[in-house]
Amino acid sequence: MSHNAAFMGALTYMSTALSLAVQEANPPRTLVRYKPKLKGRQSWVRNLSVEAGILDWLSKPTHVNDTTLLKEAVLAHFRQFVLGEVVDDRHFMKRVEDRRIPSAQIFDHEVWSVRPLSHPQHRFFGFFALPNWFVVLNKQTRLKLNDPGEWHRQLDKATRTWAAILPGRSPYSGHVFSDLVTSNSEHCDDRWYPI
């Protein structure tokens, strides 16, 4: 890699990181960095930015026991990502297919769904902004996603939200899962890259 290419890569990284930090810091905050409480020698290894309304929903106490358990399970799932624990591209999160376009391009939009297996199940849609930095932009219940058209509506919503929050910036793309999650990652999904 040439010095110029390395410089441009570093500049793009810093520029995207700065844009995300601005979104997280300036009112009205559209994104919030999820930073779970640390225990002992734990540290934040990866970054997870979450659309402010979603994190607000997850943080609000509820009197319905099922909803409390759901929110706790989602936050535990997010925590697993942030603390650098093992994640995979089949059970922890998955690339979302766009079946409206030719099969060779069904993953070109770079939308992912984070898949906590709580009840009732939800999917959280977003993009990798940088390696080890995921941005959650919208959510939907798994029950509503039984309608194949709903997957496309959520994919489109994530794409529109990304464009509004980070205009002119493309999501980070990787050829293999370890390009996106650089350590403690397991590639299990042979839909987008042969195992």
Side-chain angles (χ1 to χ4, degrees), residues 154-171:
Q154 294 305 316
L155 184 154
D156 293 342
K157 182 177 181 180
T159 302
R160 284 191 310 272
T161 305
W162 175 272
I165 291 175
L166 296 161
R169 301 218 179 271
S170 296

Side-chain angles (χ1 to χ4, degrees), residues 150-186:
E150 187 61 26
W151 284 99
H152 293 133
R153 284 188 283 279
Q154 294 305 316
L155 184 154
D156 293 342
K157 182 177 181 180
T159 302
R160 284 191 310 272
T161 305
W162 175 272
I165 291 175
L166 296 161
R169 301 218 179 271
S170 296
Y172 187 77
S173 177
H175 296 292
V176 294
F177 191 51
S178 59
D179 290 342
L180 303 166
V181 180
T182 60
S183 65
N184 280 344
S185 64
E186 295 179 359

Side-chain angles (χ1 to χ4, degrees), residues 50 53-61 70-71 74-75 78 124:
V50 182
I54 293 173
L55 201 57
D56 185 51
W57 172 75
L58 286 167
S59 302
K60 282 186 180 173
L70 159 72
K71 292 178 179 184
V74 171
L75 291 171
F78 287 177
F124 295 83

Side-chain angles (χ1 to χ4, degrees), residues 69-84:
L69 294 175
L70 159 72
K71 292 178 179 184
E72 289 172 358
V74 171
L75 291 171
H77 203 74
F78 287 177
R79 179 182 181 84
Q80 181 178 343
F81 182 83
V82 172
L83 296 183

